């Protein structure tokens, strides 16, 4: 390929071409919604709920699909498509924040205890098991109520912190296996310090699996935000998120089912795509390590 | 087999490395312990090559790793230059690591798949210096050349782009860049094709001369260690059976197990042939629950009552030839030699 492109872009292209068709479509879908989430604010007045009805059409109250409102309007005459695009921000922000938090802290914690073993491992894993024994939703409700705030950042961080134990478990299991490999023994034999071994030898070999797990668990987070919205614990109306939209339209389900269908489809597509792409990466990295 | 005792150790000052009563036990599920190494002693003089031979699972790798305290043995002493390594703090041991290096059994798993070869071989220098990149590169290139790898081709590649033999060479380069005194090679060729084996063995002999190394050479096959070793120690189920100079051991095996190994070794040289109907073709007993007395007695055609009740001690049967057996094939002093155990070809 042309050498004037930076090598990471070339690598991304190579990875993309290696995907099966379905995975390509899923990657395309994820890219689209990420772009939508990033650029939603640049579409004039998209964020303004009172303007959302006019965005793609005229001020027509309409509960079905039409040329004016491609996906129809909700029961407050707001254009569903524009709300979906804008709502992507919340759903994705929660997912990305939570996943980044979990991957970073959980991944490091798990790698650490999996490498050092001993009493530190026992203590940390015991506390993690205690946290995991609580139902996550109950914990979330408690924390959100105690904090008394429900802005996007708080929700994302709470979800992220709650995800840490799961990431820690996955990465610990992996770090145990990696630490038994002979290159770790070789690093110790040449006198490398434990901290350096952890960063250079263990973590780089643990993280690919943790990242694959992260993609899959991002799906869970998107659904979780929807559930929180159902419970009225996520962002407050009129700010849209996919979960909020489902929640709001639920009451009039029998009058008009479409305002529930569209965001649900977004969720399904996104969750499916994340799982598909996550699986593909996991299998790919598994192949690579197996060959080694 | 199965002997204890230290009759075969040489005067203290003569040995560069001296191992006494080394015991390594691993706790396993169910409250049991794997008695991987049970009280072995041996020593190595500076510049000598010691072959450590025994079948799979007899504790060779465990012994090699215990020498460099990875992990430290359950008990026993490992003297290097008269310093007991088992008594050193973790940091004091780390500072000694440059002197004792080890090539691990699996050549491919010994290299981190996510790092480039150049980085891998430079890693010891990142720890111990020089840290100057140009100096590092010069040293890495020199060492890769010495092991027969073209540094310009290899530097930016990852381990999976190399064959097992090439990975083994890279591992050797990484160990030697520290200029160690002692190099422990754990079955450096058993994972490789026969044609590549000879190349690696020759390479090790060359490097030994070039860098004045003292080698501990682990193998499960006597034929592999024969030419490279000055002295050979035969292990069985966590114990040492016999220690002798390489030629002496091949010509006059004194321990029934050594003879069995010679017979099953692919080299056409030995004159005795294993009778397959014999008890000796049995399996290695469990190291969790090893046999009483001599550990080899469950497979030994000469076993009798004393073998199950008393552990044989090391005794001298010839010039620098020691065996731990109640009924050695070479009689001590002038006693008449025992009949051959295995049927003649
Ligand atoms: N970490 C461990 N935990 C429990 N048991 C172990 C461990 N490492 C080795 N063992 C056991 O200790 C015994 C000796 O193992 P070791 O790897 O030293 O044998 P070996 O002589 O090197 O064999 P091979 O030729 O197969 O490499 C074996 O029974 C093995 O199963
Ligand atoms: S003769 Fe006895 S002591 Fe000697 S190897 Fe056989 S069983 Fe062991
Ligand atoms: Mg081994």
């Amino acid at each position: 390929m042309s050498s004037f492109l930076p090598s990471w872009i070339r690598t991304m292209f190579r990875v993309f071409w290696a995907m099966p068709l379905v995975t390509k479509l899923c990657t395309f879908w994820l890219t689209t919604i990420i772009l939508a989430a990033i650029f939603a604010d640049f579409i004039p007045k998209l964020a303004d709920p009172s303007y959302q009805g006019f965005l793609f059409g005229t001020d027509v109250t309409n509960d079905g699909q039409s040329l004016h409102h491609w996906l129809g309007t909700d029961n407050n005459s707001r254009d569903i498509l524009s709300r979906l695009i804008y709502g992507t921000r919340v759903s994705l922000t929660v997912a990305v924040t939570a996943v980044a938090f979990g991957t970073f802290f959980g991944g490091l914690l798990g790698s650490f205890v999996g490498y050092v073993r001993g009493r530190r491992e026992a203590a940390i894993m015991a506390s993690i098991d205690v946290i995991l024994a609580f139902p996550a939703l109950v914990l979330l409700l408690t924390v959100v109520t105690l904090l008394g705030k429900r802005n996007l950042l708080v929700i994302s961080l709470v979800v992220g912190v709650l995800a840490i134990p799961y990431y820690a478990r996955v990465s610990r299991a992996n770090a145990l296996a990696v630490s038994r490999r002979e290159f770790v023994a070789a690093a110790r034999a040449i006198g490398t310090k434990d901290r350096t071994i952890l960063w250079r030898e263990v973590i780089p070999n643990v993280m690919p699996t943790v990242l694959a797990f992260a993609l899959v668990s991002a799906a869970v987070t998107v659904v979780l935000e929807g559930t929180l919205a159902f419970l009225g614990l996520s962002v407050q109306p009129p700010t849209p998120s996919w979960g909020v939209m489902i929640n709001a339209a639920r009451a009039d389900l029998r009058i008009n089912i479409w305002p529930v269908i569209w965001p649900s489809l977004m969720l399904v597509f996104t969750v499916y795509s994340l799982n598909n792409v996550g699986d593909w990466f996991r299998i790919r990295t598994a192949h690579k390590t197996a060959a080694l | 087999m199965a002997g204890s005792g230290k009759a075969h150790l040489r005067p203290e000052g003569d040995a560069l490395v001296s191992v006494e009563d080394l015991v390594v036990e691993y706790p396993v599920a169910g409250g049991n312990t794997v008695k991987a190494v049970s009280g072995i002693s041996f020593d190595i003089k500076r510049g000598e090559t010691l072959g450590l031979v025994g079948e799979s699972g007899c504790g060779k790798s465990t012994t090699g790793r215990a020498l460099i305290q990875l992990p430290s043995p359950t008990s026993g002493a490992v003297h290097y230059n008269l310093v007991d390594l088992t008594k050193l703090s973790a940091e004091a041991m780390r500072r000694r690591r440059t002197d004792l290096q080890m090539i691990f059994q699996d050549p491919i798993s010994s290299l981190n798949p996510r790092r480039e070869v150049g980085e891998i071989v430079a890693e010891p220098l990142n720890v111990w210096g020089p840290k100057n990149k140009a100096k590092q590169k010069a040293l890495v290139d020199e060492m890769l050349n010495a092991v027969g790898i073209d540094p310009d081709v290899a530097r930016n590649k990852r381990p999976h782009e190399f064959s097992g033999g090439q990975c083994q060479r890279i591992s050797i380069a990484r160990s030697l860049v520290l200029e160690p005194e002692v190099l422990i090679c754990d079955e450096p060729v058993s994972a490789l094709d026969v044609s590549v084996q000879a190349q690696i063995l020759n390479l090790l002999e060359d490097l030994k001369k070039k860098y004045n190394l003292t080698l501990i050479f682990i193998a499960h096959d006597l034929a592999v260690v024969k030419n490279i070793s000055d002295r050979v120690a035969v292990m069985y189920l966590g114990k040492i059976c016999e220690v002798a100079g390489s030629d002496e051991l091949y010509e006059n095996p004194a321990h029934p197990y050594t003879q069995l190994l010679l017979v099953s070794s692919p080299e056409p040289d030995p004159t005795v042939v294993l009778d397959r109907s014999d008890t000796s073709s049995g399996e290695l007993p469990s190291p969790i629950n090893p046999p009483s007395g001599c550990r080899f007695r469950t497979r030994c055609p000469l076993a009798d009552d004393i073998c199950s009740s008393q552990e044989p001690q090391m005794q001298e049967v010839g010039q620098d030839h020691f065996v731990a057996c109640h009924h050695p094939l070479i009689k001590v002093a002038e006693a008449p030699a025992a009949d051959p155990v295995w049927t003649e070809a």
Side-chain angles (χ1 to χ4, degrees):
Chain A
M1 242 183 262
S2 36
S3 52
F4 55 83
L5 285 175
S7 71
W8 64 271
I9 292 188
R10 273 182 285 154
T11 310
M12 272 174 57
F13 270 114
R14 246 206 338 269
V15 169
F16 186 76
W17 287 125
M19 289 172 173
L21 182 65
V22 176
T23 309
K24 276 196 185 111
L25 289 176
C26 290
T27 310
F28 183 73
W29 170 257
L30 292 177
T31 316
T32 310
I33 60 166
I34 289 170
L35 291 178
I38 295 173
F39 291 108
D41 259 348
F42 297 107
I43 302 175
K45 297 191 183 173
L46 184 61
D48 178 2
S50 55
Y51 188 76
Q52 279 163 356
F54 306 91
L55 189 63
F56 288 110
T58 50
D59 180 12
V60 181
T61 304
N62 175 327
D63 48 17
Q65 296 85 275
S66 71
L67 275 180
H68 296 300
H69 302 287
W70 293 355
L71 303 183
T73 62
D74 69 7
N75 303 318
N76 292 327
S77 304
R78 295 175 297 197
D79 182 62
I80 291 180
L81 180 59
S82 41
R83 280 178 67 79
L84 279 182
I85 296 175
Y86 200 73
T88 309
R89 289 164 53 89
V90 175
S91 297
L92 279 196
T93 307
V94 175
V96 169
T97 315
V99 162
F101 226 74
T103 312
F104 187 75
F105 291 104
L108 291 193
L109 192 66
S111 301
F112 173 75
V113 299
Y115 174 67
V116 299
R117 312 292 316 265
R119 242 173 297 162
R120 282 174 287 187
E121 180 193 23
I124 291 176
M125 291 320 287
S127 10
I128 278 178
D129 284 339
V130 170
I131 298 175
L132 284 180
F134 284 110
L137 204 59
V138 175
L139 260 188
L140 244 170
L141 284 172
T142 318
V143 175
V144 172
T145 314
L146 282 181
L147 284 175
K149 283 195 190 127
R150 0 174 167 161
N151 66 37
L152 194 50
L153 192 69
V154 171
I155 298 289
S156 310
L157 287 185
V158 172
V159 173
V161 170
L162 287 177
I164 288 177
Y166 296 92
Y167 288 89
R169 277 196 154 183
V170 169
S171 60
R172 171 182 165 271
N174 251 282
L176 284 179
V178 169
S179 303
R180 271 196 292 270
R181 304 267 299 273
E182 289 182 331
F183 61 81
V184 174
R188 298 183 64 194
I190 60 177
T192 313
K193 289 190 174 154
D194 278 343
R195 190 160 24 109
T196 316
I197 295 178
L198 192 60
W199 281 109
R200 290 208 199 134
E201 314 288 332
V202 179
I203 289 175
N205 284 288
V206 168
M207 277 306 175
T209 321
V210 178
L211 280 178
F213 174 75
L215 281 183
V216 176
S217 71
V220 179
T221 316
V222 173
V223 177
L224 190 63
E225 194 276 330
T227 315
L228 288 178
F230 254 60
L231 297 170
L233 279 175
S234 186
V235 287
Q236 284 172 302
T239 308
S241 90
W242 299 346
V244 166
M245 292 171 70
I246 296 171
N247 194 24
R250 201 169 42 122
D252 301 319
L253 197 62
R254 261 181 261 163
I255 306 168
N256 184 0
I257 198 173
W258 290 105
V260 175
I261 295 278
W262 292 120
S264 304
L265 274 181
M266 295 289 275
L267 250 179
V268 170
F269 281 154
T270 308
V271 170
Y272 177 79
S273 301
L274 283 170
N275 276 307
N276 186 292
V277 177
D279 273 350
W280 187 77
F281 270 105
R282 208 190 51 235
I283 290 165
R284 206 174 109 97
T285 48
H287 275 319
K288 259 199 182 161
T289 15
L292 287 167
Chain B
M1 93 96 150
S4 296
K6 297 174 209 167
H8 58 301
L9 294 189
R10 289 159 297 189
E12 218 176 58
D14 284 6
L16 178 62
V17 178
S18 146
V19 174
E20 284 173 55
D21 300 318
L22 188 77
V23 174
V24 184
E25 293 178 349
Y26 298 109
V28 285
N32 290 318
T33 47
V34 174
K35 299 172 180 71
V37 173
S38 306
I40 66 172
S41 307
F42 57 88
D43 56 12
I44 307 131
K45 285 197 218 174
R46 187 181 293 275
E48 198 175 49
T49 299
L50 175 76
L52 199 57
V53 180
E55 68 201 286
S56 189
C58 72
K60 306 180 297 291
S61 300
T62 306
T63 305
R65 281 165 168 256
L67 289 188
I68 57 168
Q69 316 294 308
L70 284 178
S72 294
T74 313
S75 67
V78 177
H79 294 282
Y80 167 72
N81 257 339
L82 303 180
V83 177
D84 187 353
L85 300 182
T86 61
K87 299 235 159 48
L88 296 180
S89 70
E91 180 59 18
M93 181 60 214
R94 197 180 73 81
R95 296 191 173 281
R96 296 233 163 215
R97 291 200 175 280
T98 52
D99 287 346
L100 297 117
Q101 282 297 302
M102 181 158 175
I103 313 283
F104 292 89
Q105 190 162 350
D106 180 345
I108 295 167
S109 160
S110 300
L111 306 175
N112 184 342
R114 305 200 177 271
R115 304 187 72 187
E116 292 172 2
V117 168
E119 276 181 277
I120 290 175
V121 179
E123 183 65 16
L125 303 175
N126 285 331
V127 182
W128 301 110
K131 312 238 169 181
N132 174 304
K133 289 292 165 203
K135 279 189 193 145
Q136 284 195 352
K137 183 173 171 295
L139 282 169
V140 168
D141 286 4
E142 181 200 323
M143 210 36 85
L144 283 173
N145 276 322
V147 298
I149 298 274
D150 182 348
D152 295 323
V153 175
R155 195 175 299 116
N156 297 317
K157 287 192 176 168
R158 279 168 217 272
H160 67 264
E161 298 176 65
F162 294 91
S163 69
Q166 288 171 317
C167 287
Q168 199 62 282
R169 288 168 190 269
I170 295 165
S171 285
I172 296 172
R174 169 179 57 190
S175 295
L176 292 188
V177 83
L178 287 173
E179 301 182 7
E181 297 279 332
V182 180
L183 183 64
I184 303 167
C185 305
D186 189 359
E187 307 210 23
V189 297
S190 58
L192 308 178
D193 286 350
V194 180
S195 55
V196 186
Q197 287 189 357
Q199 294 172 11
I200 298 283
L201 289 177
N202 289 337
L203 173 70
L204 282 170
E205 284 208 283
D206 293 346
L207 293 172
K208 180 188 163 171
K209 282 195 208 97
K210 192 165 168 193
Y211 297 100
N212 293 319
L213 296 170
T214 302
L215 279 187
I216 298 177
F217 193 97
I218 298 174
H220 58 248
D221 181 351
L222 272 169
V224 169
V225 294
K226 178 172 182 188
N227 294 321
I228 201 170
S229 309
D230 301 308
R231 224 171 171 228
V232 177
V234 179
M235 277 186 82
Y236 182 81
L237 206 61
K239 296 274 188 181
I240 288 188
C241 315
E242 186 167 3
V243 180
S246 172
D247 294 336
E248 167 73 6
L249 189 86
Y250 284 82
E251 277 153 33
N252 299 311
H255 197 284
Y257 179 61
T258 312
Q259 201 178 40
L260 170 68
L261 277 183
L262 281 172
V263 161
S264 45
S265 130
E267 214 173 37
D269 184 88
T271 49
V272 281
V273 164
L274 173 68
D275 176 357
R276 288 283 164 199
S277 65
D278 213 285
T279 48
S280 59
S281 38
E283 298 213 331
L284 195 68
S286 158
I288 293 177
N289 200 357
S292 64
C294 171
R295 289 193 176 182
F296 186 54
R297 70 176 164 83
T298 53
R299 295 165 67 186
C300 180
L302 296 181
D304 59 11
D305 289 348
I306 188 174
C307 300
S308 52
S309 59
Q310 280 184 30
E311 189 181 341
Q313 298 292 308
M314 274 290 176
Q315 54 176 325
E316 189 159 14
V317 289
Q319 165 94 63
D320 190 33
H321 189 166
F322 299 85
V323 65
C325 173
H326 293 302
H327 311 293
L329 304 178
I330 307 173
K331 283 299 173 206
V332 193
E334 292 85 25
D339 292 333
V341 182
W342 320 104
T343 47
E344 296 269 351

